[in-house]
Amino acid sequence: MAKKKMKDKRRQQIKEQKKIEKLKEKNKPVTFKCLDCGIEEDIPKDVVDIYDIFDEGDITVPPRFSCEVCGGTMEPIEYTSEQGITYRLEN
Ligand SMILES: [Zn+2]
């Protein structure tokens, strides 16, 4: 009986661990690259998601930020939106 309880606790711990890993994956930063000066910047995914949702532009266009260095356009190197659209920066 005691042994069974231990097992359940361990399973619970694994479940918790998996949950944390999933959350980390969700909050992984998205690397943006400036199309003009080439500088790269990591932006938390949840911030990009919110930006993407409120961006009323064409959904085939990735969310964009303006570069703090040169004022150019920054696009994500790779980003999957909440709608499931994956954007990849073409080199
Ligand atoms: Zn720039």
Side-chain angles (χ1 to χ4, degrees):
M1 194 65 185
K3 206 176 178 185
K4 191 176 181 288
K5 258 190 178 164
M6 284 280 283
K7 256 191 180 171
D8 284 350
K9 203 179 175 190
R10 179 78 190 122
R11 193 177 297 151
Q12 192 61 35
Q13 280 177 345
I14 292 165
K15 264 191 186 170
E16 285 298 312
Q17 193 65 37
K18 281 227 170 105
K19 225 190 269 174
I20 291 164
E21 275 170 21
K22 241 188 176 173
L23 216 64
K24 270 188 190 164
E25 182 70 27
K26 203 174 174 339
N27 288 319
K28 230 166 72 175
V30 179
T31 306
F32 276 69
K33 189 174 182 179
C34 177
L35 302 180
D36 293 321
C37 72
I39 203 168
E40 290 181 8
E41 193 183 339
D42 285 342
I43 297 168
K45 191 174 185 302
D46 50 355
V47 173
V48 182
D49 285 341
I50 290 164
Y51 191 88
D52 192 39
I53 288 161
F54 287 103
D55 183 14
E56 289 181 9
D58 194 337
I59 62 154
T60 62
V61 174
R64 286 168 169 160
F65 289 92
S66 62
C67 177
E68 283 179 12
V69 179
C70 73
T73 305
M74 296 191 89
E75 285 193 2
I77 290 175
E78 190 173 337
Y79 167 65
T80 303
S81 75
E82 291 287 276
Q83 287 84 15
I85 300 163
T86 301
Y87 303 103
R88 271 192 195 88
L89 190 64
E90 306 285 337
N91 284 316

